[in-house]
Amino acid sequence: MELNLVPISITRQKQDPAWNHCEVFKNGERLQIKCMYCGKLFKGGGIHRFKEHLAGRKGQGPICEQVPQGVRSVMQESLNGILVKQDKKQKLIPKLLACGSSSRNPNIGGEAENLGSHDDMNFGIKPISVLNTLEGDSNVVSKVGRGRKRGRGRDRNLIESNYPCVKTDLALVPNGGENPTHMAIGRFLYDIGVNLDAVNSVCFQPMIDAIASGGSGVVPPSCHDLRGWILKNVIEEVKDDIDRNKAMWGKTGCSIIVEQCRTKNGRVLLSFLVYCPQATVFMKSVDASHAVYSADYLFELLKQVIEEVGSEKVVQVITNCEEPYLFTGKRLMESFPSLYWAPCLAHCVDLMLQDFSNLEWINETIEQAKSLTRFIYNQSSVLNMMRKFTSGNDVVEPALTCFATNFSTLKRMADLKLNLQAMVNSQDWLECPYAKKPGGQAMSDIVNNRSFWNSCMLIARITYPLLRVLEIVGSKKRSAMGYVYAGIYRAKETIKKELVKQDDYMVYWNIIDNRWEQQRHLPLYAAGFFLNPKLFYNTEEHIHNDILSSVFDSIERLVPDTNIQDQVVREINLYKSATGDLGRPMAVRARDNLLPGKYPCIDRNCHIAISCLFRTLGVKVPWRPPDTYLSYNGDLIALSVIFIILLGEWWSIYGGGCPNLQRLAIRILSQTCSSIGYKPSKISIEEIHNTRNFLERQRLSDLVFVQYNLYLRQMVLQKQEKDSLDPLAFNNKDILEDWIADNEVSPDNLDSSDWKSLDPPVGNRTTLTPPGDEAEDFLSTRFTDLDIFNGLKGVKEEI
C-alpha cells in the first residue's frame, strides 16, 4: 500500500452492495478503492468499475479471481438490474409521471435523470431501484412506508397495484421489510436452542429445497420417524460412504487419529478416527476414564483399532504427547513394524507459540492489545465506530488455538494500524463520550504509541511462518506431510533474517528446537520434504544428502519387502536426476502447479483427469454433473475430489518410471499431522455413556456415529467464508474470550451497551492465508541454510 494513502470510513449513504467488499482511501484529493479479496487498488472508475471487477464482468478493469461465488452472484444481479434500468430509463420516467407522481413532484424527472447518470469518479451511488429516485414526500414513498410495516411482500403488491407501470426489485433495496421464511426459521432455531451456525451446514440448503419442492402444507416427519426409519436410512448412507473410503486406504495409506477430551463431569472420552485424503471418518468412542493413564490399556485399545483398519494400510497413529501415549507409541511400533507413532504436530507448534508469548516483551505487547480490544468489544458505539473506520473488519482474528489467536490478532491489528489511528484522531472519536473515559484514553494512548506498533509488527513478522505452519497442519482440506519440514525451516529462517544477531535469534531458535525435540524421532517429515517435488528441486544438493537418511528410515519401515526396498533406493537416483518423465518440461512446470490447496474448476475436463487418476488406482468413477461434485451424495467422487489435489497427483501422473518410489511417495504425502480440531462441540458423546438402557444406548451410539461423520464431511465440503465470522458469537467464545471479555461486568457497562444497535462485521477476512498462489509463496524460495537443517536433525551448533 502507498504510504500517502489515508483510510476513510464508508458512510451509510453509500448503499450500493459493492461498498461492503472494499476499503476506501484518500490520496491527496482523490479517492481510491481497494478490493478486500485480491488487494487490487482502483485509482479511478468509481464503484461501478469495482462492481464489474467483483462480478467477473469484462469492462474497464481486471476480474477478481478471489471473490467468493456468493458475492460474485450478488454483484452480477446488481449489474443486471442497473443495465435494465438504464435501457428503460427514458420509458420508465414518463410512465411514472403518467401514474400521477409528477403532479406532486414536478422535479422528479430531472432528479431521477441526475441520479441515473451520476459520475462514479466522485463515488456517486447509482439508483438501486425506481423507489430511490422518488422524493421523500411523494405519494409512492409514503404508501410504501406505510406498507412496509406489514411486510416485504405487501410492499411489492401495494406499489404494483397502485402503480402497475412500476416493477420493483425489493431484493436489491437496502433495509427492506421482513422475510417471513427467515422469521419462521429463526423462531424454530431459537425454540430448540441450537447453535445458530447450524445454518452454515451443507445439509441446510438441501433441506430448504426439499421442503419448498413439497409445496404448501408439506407434512413434517414425526419424532418417531427421526428416531426410526430416517435414522436407519442415514446410517446406511454413512456406512456406504465409509466402505467406499476404505477402498482407498490401501492405495494412499491412512492415519489413525486419537482425539481425547475431558467432559465437564470429569469423564475422559477417546474418539478413534481414520484419515485419508478423501475424508476423515469416525470409527467409535470409548469411555477411558478409569484407565486413561494406563499404557497397557491404551495399547490394547489402539491395537484393536489398527487390526480393524488393517495394519498394512496404516502409515501412522497420531495421539497427544502425554507420557502414557509415549510408552504406548513405542510398543505399537514394536508390535507393528510397518507403521509409526506420531505426537500431534499442531500441539507441538502451539507450544512453540505459547513459549513465545511467555517472553516478557511479547507478553507485554499482547496484554496492551487485549486491553484495547476488550474496551472496543464491550461498548456498542465504539465497536460500530471501529467497524466504520475498518470497512467492517474486526481487529481480532480467531485461529486454531488460543495461543495462535494471540499472534493472528496482533497481525490483524498491525494490518489495520492506519485505520485505528484514523479513528482515534477523528472528529467522531473526539465527540464520543467513551473517548473521555479511562478506557478510551488508554485506547488512544496505545493506538498512538509508536513503540507498541513497532513491537506489534515485529512480533507479527517473526511468528507469521509458525501461524502458517499451524494453519497447514490443522487444515482438514489438505495433506500436510509434504510441508511441515519446510514450514519449520522457514520459521527459523525468518527469525534469523529479522533479528540478524545470533544472540538475539537463538532465543527463539532454542524454543523451536526444544519443542521440535519430541518430533525428531519421526523421519516422515524429512521424507515428505524430500518427496515434495516443489521443495526438493529447490534445495541445495548437499542438503539432499543430509536428509537422505530419514528417507531410508521411512523406506525400511513402510516397505517391508527387502527386494522392493532395493528397487525404491535405485529409483531415488532417477528422481534426483529428474530422469525420464520426471524431467519433462510439463513435469517441471507441474512441480509448482500440482500442489495441495489449489482447487480446480470441477468440469468435464476435470472429471476426465479424475477418471484417469482413479483408473490408475483401480477405482471406477462414474460421470456426474459438475454441480454435484461437492454435494452430499453417496458417490465416491463427492468425497474424493480433494485427492486429485495432493502432491500425489504429480507422482501419479509423472512417476510411472519409478513405480515403487511412486507408491511410497503417495503413501507418505497423503498423511495428516494433527489430531486437533476433529471433535465437534455440538455432539455430546457423553450422553451415550450416561445412558443405562441398553437399547437407547445403541440408538445414541448410532446417532453419534452419523452426526460425527456428517460433521467430518462438512469440514471439507463446507463453503462458509471467513468473512461471515462474528467474534462476539458464542461459538467463538473459547478461542476469543480473553480478547473480548471485560474483566469486570458492571451494571454501568450493561446499561451503556446495546447489541441491537451493532453494525455487522461485513468485511472480515483472514490475514493468514494470502490470496491465490501467494498462500504457498513463503515455501517457494530456495532452502540453503545448513545450520537450520542441522537444528531440525538435532545437531547442536556452537554459540
Side-chain angles (χ1 to χ4, degrees):
M1 185 183 296
E2 300 177 26
L3 295 178
N4 58 344
L5 294 183
V6 178
I8 63 174
S9 61
I10 298 176
T11 64
R12 292 179 180 273
Q13 285 73 30
K14 291 178 168 43
Q15 295 178 345
D16 191 294
W19 289 111
N20 293 330
H21 307 280
C22 67
E23 295 174 334
V24 181
F25 298 89
K26 193 169 184 179
N27 186 3
E29 296 300 320
R30 300 185 62 183
L31 296 180
Q32 299 181 4
I33 297 176
K34 181 181 179 182
C35 178
M36 286 183 172
Y37 303 105
C38 68
K40 169 69 177 176
L41 191 66
F42 290 80
K43 299 182 179 180
I47 197 65
H48 184 78
R49 182 185 179 202
F50 175 66
K51 189 186 297 184
E52 289 182 333
H53 168 73
L54 293 180
R57 184 167 296 176
K58 293 184 178 179
Q60 301 178 7
I63 293 174
C64 182
E65 301 293 343
Q66 308 303 324
V67 61
Q69 184 57 45
V71 175
R72 190 184 296 280
S73 299
V74 171
M75 296 302 109
Q76 291 171 346
E77 292 173 4
S78 180
L79 284 173
N80 291 337
I82 291 174
L83 290 175
V84 170
K85 286 191 281 290
Q86 288 176 341
D87 292 340
K88 297 184 177 180
K89 182 168 55 181
Q90 296 298 329
K91 300 178 181 178
L92 184 57
I93 298 302
K95 289 182 180 181
L96 277 172
L97 296 174
C99 288
S101 297
S102 60
S103 62
R104 298 177 177 84
N105 300 281
N107 296 324
I108 186 172
E111 188 173 325
E113 191 72 27
N114 289 337
L115 282 171
S117 59
H118 204 292
D119 184 5
D120 279 328
M121 288 292 289
N122 296 320
F123 288 85
I125 308 301
K126 290 186 179 294
I128 295 179
S129 74
V130 174
L131 297 180
N132 292 39
T133 67
L134 304 178
E135 290 186 351
D137 60 350
S138 72
N139 191 40
V140 174
V141 173
S142 63
K143 288 190 177 185
V144 172
R146 292 194 297 270
R148 182 167 291 143
K149 296 178 182 179
R150 296 189 295 273
R152 188 171 185 167
R154 296 187 182 185
D155 290 348
R156 188 185 300 273
N157 295 335
L158 180 63
I159 297 169
E160 296 182 354
S161 61
N162 285 277
Y163 301 91
C165 55
V166 180
K167 296 298 181 182
T168 65
D169 188 0
L170 291 177
L172 296 178
V173 178
N175 301 320
E178 298 171 351
N179 184 315
T181 302
H182 292 182
M183 290 292 292
I185 293 172
R187 292 189 197 99
F188 171 71
L189 294 177
Y190 303 148
D191 177 56
I192 63 176
V194 299
N195 287 339
L196 300 184
D197 63 351
V199 299
N200 294 321
S201 167
V202 293
C203 299
F204 185 69
Q205 186 61 47
M207 180 189 73
I208 298 295
D209 294 340
I211 293 173
S213 67
S216 178
V218 62
V219 179
S222 67
C223 176
H224 297 297
D225 291 334
L226 292 169
R227 286 167 50 87
W229 69 269
I230 296 176
L231 179 58
K232 294 177 184 177
N233 288 349
V234 177
I235 289 171
E236 292 306 313
E237 288 179 358
V238 172
K239 286 183 176 179
D240 288 344
D241 288 336
I242 292 177
D243 288 341
R244 294 185 180 96
N245 287 325
K246 288 180 178 179
M248 297 305 299
W249 292 351
K251 306 289 185 180
T252 64
C254 62
S255 299
I256 293 177
I257 299 171
V258 182
E259 178 81 21
Q260 179 176 314
C261 68
R262 187 178 295 273
T263 68
K264 294 179 180 179
N265 296 329
R267 194 189 299 270
V268 177
L269 303 177
L270 301 180
S271 297
F272 297 93
L273 304 91
V274 180
Y275 170 94
C276 78
Q278 297 155 234
T280 304
V281 299
F282 168 74
M283 301 291 287
K284 64 180 179 180
S285 174
V286 173
D287 182 357
S289 305
H290 62 289
V292 68
Y293 297 110
S294 169
D296 292 336
Y297 175 75
L298 293 173
F299 171 77
E300 291 300 328
L301 275 178
L302 281 167
K303 179 182 176 183
Q304 181 182 352
V305 174
I306 291 170
E307 290 173 345
E308 183 178 348
V309 173
S311 61
E312 72 283 356
K313 302 174 184 176
V314 180
V315 175
Q316 61 176 346
V317 177
I318 302 176
T319 70
N320 66 38
C321 53
E322 294 178 359
E323 189 171 337
Y325 288 102
L326 176 62
F327 293 116
T328 301
K330 291 180 179 179
R331 286 189 63 186
L332 286 174
M333 290 179 64
E334 292 171 358
S335 300
F336 299 97
S338 62
L339 59 78
Y340 285 100
W341 167 76
C344 173
L345 184 63
H347 182 62
C348 171
V349 177
D350 191 47
L351 291 175
M352 296 176 190
L353 295 173
Q354 180 183 359
D355 292 343
F356 276 31
S357 65
N358 289 335
L359 296 174
E360 184 176 356
W361 75 278
I362 293 181
N363 182 64
E364 181 180 346
T365 305
I366 291 173
E367 290 304 317
Q368 283 183 295
K370 285 181 178 178
S371 67
L372 188 154
T373 58
R374 287 168 185 157
F375 179 77
I376 291 175
Y377 283 91
N378 283 277
Q379 328 296 334
S380 54
S381 59
V382 178
L383 180 54
N384 281 341
M385 187 185 302
M386 181 273 293
R387 285 175 174 168
K388 182 178 78 170
F389 277 88
T390 61
S391 304
N393 277 287
D394 280 291
V395 293
V396 294
E397 178 169 334
L400 186 64
T401 67
C402 292
F403 293 109
T405 298
N406 289 343
F407 296 104
S408 63
T409 297
L410 287 183
K411 185 178 189 307
R412 180 181 281 270
M413 291 179 68
D415 291 342
L416 296 173
K417 170 190 171 183
L418 295 178
N419 305 72
L420 294 173
Q421 289 181 332
M423 171 186 163
V424 299
N425 293 290
S426 68
Q427 190 63 33
D428 290 348
W429 177 252
L430 294 177
E431 296 173 357
C432 177
Y434 291 105
K436 302 174 181 62
K437 293 189 175 183
Q441 293 174 348
M443 174 178 167
S444 297
D445 292 341
I446 293 173
V447 173
N448 288 316
N449 187 329
R450 179 179 297 180
S451 175
F452 167 76
W453 288 116
N454 288 340
S455 297
C456 195
M457 288 186 284
L458 178 58
I459 293 169
R461 288 197 297 270
I462 65 177
T463 59
Y464 173 76
L466 282 179
L467 291 177
R468 289 290 292 118
V469 172
L470 186 62
E471 187 179 39
I472 292 173
V473 168
S475 173
K476 306 304 179 290
K477 296 185 178 183
R478 65 190 298 165
S479 300
M481 189 62 76
Y483 290 105
V484 170
Y485 212 71
I488 299 297
Y489 173 98
R490 195 65 77 213
K492 297 180 70 174
E493 180 188 55
T494 301
I495 293 169
K496 183 177 181 178
K497 289 180 178 179
E498 288 290 338
L499 301 180
V500 182
K501 293 182 179 179
Q502 188 179 56
D503 289 343
D504 293 336
Y505 69 73
M506 283 304 299
V507 173
Y508 305 90
W509 276 28
N510 289 335
I511 289 176
I512 294 175
D513 291 341
N514 181 55
R515 293 300 183 179
W516 183 256
E517 183 68 35
Q518 63 181 346
Q519 304 288 341
R520 277 201 188 100
H521 77 279
L522 190 68
L524 289 177
Y525 302 132
F529 178 92
F530 187 91
L531 295 170
N532 182 334
K534 180 174 184 175
L535 306 179
F536 175 81
Y537 293 112
N538 226 1
T539 307
E540 300 294 334
E541 177 68 25
H542 64 277
I543 295 178
H544 291 171
N545 298 329
D546 206 48
I547 62 176
L548 198 56
S549 61
S550 295
V551 180
F552 293 152
D553 290 341
S554 301
I555 294 172
E556 290 175 342
R557 178 161 285 272
L558 298 180
V559 183
D561 191 317
T562 56
N563 291 326
I564 297 180
Q565 288 179 8
D566 296 339
Q567 295 177 37
V568 170
V569 172
R570 284 194 292 269
E571 290 170 0
I572 285 178
N573 290 324
L574 301 179
Y575 174 56
K576 292 175 68 175
S577 59
T579 302
D581 289 341
L582 298 177
R584 287 181 178 272
M586 291 189 301
V588 173
R589 294 193 302 270
R591 295 170 188 170
D592 293 331
N593 298 332
L594 301 184
L595 291 171
K598 297 184 179 181
Y599 298 89
C601 175
I602 307 301
D603 55 13
R604 184 175 293 273
N605 290 331
C606 181
H607 173 264
I608 294 172
I610 296 171
S611 299
C612 293
L613 176 60
F614 275 83
R615 277 198 297 271
T616 302
L617 298 175
V619 179
K620 181 180 179 182
V621 182
W623 161 251
R624 295 190 67 87
D627 60 349
T628 64
Y629 274 84
L630 296 181
S631 64
Y632 169 54
N633 56 69
D635 197 344
L636 174 62
I637 196 61
L639 293 174
S640 60
V641 69
I642 301 302
F643 179 75
I644 69 162
I645 312 154
L646 299 172
L647 291 172
E649 181 188 13
W650 187 88
W651 278 99
S652 294
I653 295 173
Y654 300 110
C658 42
N660 300 290
L661 181 61
Q662 178 191 55
R663 284 192 292 270
L664 177 67
I666 290 175
R667 282 174 60 84
I668 292 176
L669 296 171
S670 296
Q671 305 311 312
T672 185
C673 305
S674 170
S675 63
I676 291 181
Y678 288 97
K679 171 65 174 69
S681 58
K682 63 184 178 181
I683 300 175
S684 180
I685 300 177
E686 188 176 15
E687 291 181 6
I688 301 174
H689 306 285
N690 287 337
T691 303
R692 296 188 177 184
N693 181 276
F694 183 71
L695 293 176
E696 186 61 17
R697 185 166 181 167
Q698 281 185 318
R699 191 198 313 273
L700 286 175
S701 296
D702 285 339
L703 178 60
V704 167
F705 175 79
V706 167
Q707 288 178 318
Y708 214 135
N709 280 294
L710 291 180
Y711 167 81
L712 292 170
R713 175 183 302 168
Q714 179 160 289
M715 288 194 305
V716 175
L717 303 184
Q718 193 174 36
K719 300 178 183 179
Q720 178 189 6
E721 301 294 333
K722 282 198 174 185
D723 61 359
S724 66
L725 294 177
D726 185 352
L728 298 179
F730 184 78
N731 51 312
N732 290 323
K733 173 177 173 291
D734 292 340
I735 293 294
L736 285 175
E737 184 170 28
D738 206 27
W739 282 88
I740 63 175
D742 204 350
N743 292 332
E744 295 182 3
V745 179
S746 65
D748 292 340
N749 289 340
L750 296 176
D751 294 338
S752 63
S753 297
D754 180 14
W755 72 267
K756 294 188 289 295
S757 65
L758 284 179
D759 295 329
V762 296
N764 277 345
R765 65 201 186 281
T766 179
T767 60
L768 292 185
T769 309
D773 295 344
E774 296 174 16
E776 286 158 354
D777 278 355
F778 85 115
L779 297 178
S780 298
T781 55
R782 294 187 65 81
F783 300 85
T784 59
D785 195 327
L786 188 59
D787 290 342
I788 298 178
F789 279 103
N790 286 338
L792 293 177
K793 288 176 56 185
V795 179
K796 300 294 183 180
E797 64 172 306
E798 299 282 336
I799 298 180

